[in-house]
Amino acid sequence: MVPLASTTVSKQRSERRISVRLPLKVRGRDAHGFAFEEDTSSENLCRNGAAFVTRFDVAIGSDLEIRIPFSQYSAARRPQPERLGGPANGNRLAAPRISESDFATHGRVVHVASSQSGNEKLVGVQFTGPRFQRVFRSESAA
């Protein structure tokens, strides 16, 4: 009997995932090879991976780019346009900088299941790039 992917992943997982919703930007290729980019949110995460819901059909083993844009969702950390100094450029506004607090990495899809909505998939990724270093309290904890 072949174990289910989710069973295998949970046995391999060295850290408990924390239920927390953070905004995610996910980019990659779907199971048919078409490029996609989607704004979604995490269902849970740990230092080594995350789970999120997507409307795209992604295959186990596919590689994704993942960004958690903290600066866009916190007024205190929102990137502000910088003024370009000097009379030569008319004191124009520059594009906002990406905050150093944003987290960007790559991940490999290790689990795909139907979500509760039925039209979307719950995807689990293992980070293959930088690991997540922030600590959050579970939303399910009182």
Side-chain angles (χ1 to χ4, degrees), residues 21-133:
R21 290 203 186 269
L22 294 174
L24 296 179
K25 289 187 175 284
V26 179
R27 184 185 313 179
R29 294 198 174 269
D30 68 11
H32 306 287
F34 294 104
F36 73 89
E37 185 173 75
E38 179 177 36
D39 289 325
T40 185
S41 63
S42 64
E43 294 290 318
N44 60 61
L45 66 118
C46 69
R47 293 185 196 281
N48 296 316
F52 58 90
V53 175
T54 181
R55 65 183 190 270
F56 294 96
D57 183 23
V58 294
I60 291 177
S62 28
D63 293 318
L64 302 175
E65 294 177 36
I66 300 162
R67 175 171 292 221
I68 300 175
F70 295 115
S71 61
Q72 294 179 11
Y73 296 90
S74 170
R77 294 186 186 158
R78 187 177 305 258
Q80 298 297 320
E82 292 183 18
R83 295 224 176 249
L84 298 174
N89 58 25
N91 203 23
R92 296 176 302 187
L93 290 176
R97 284 190 293 187
I98 293 176
S99 170
E100 292 177 15
S101 64
D102 290 358
F103 173 72
T105 191
H106 290 86
R108 179 159 296 124
V109 176
V110 294
H111 175 78
V112 177
S114 295
S115 71
Q116 293 178 349
S117 73
N119 296 334
E120 298 174 314
K121 304 284 187 210
L122 178 64
V123 174
V125 295
Q126 179 179 13
F127 296 148
T128 56
R131 292 176 15 159
F132 195 67
Q133 298 299 317

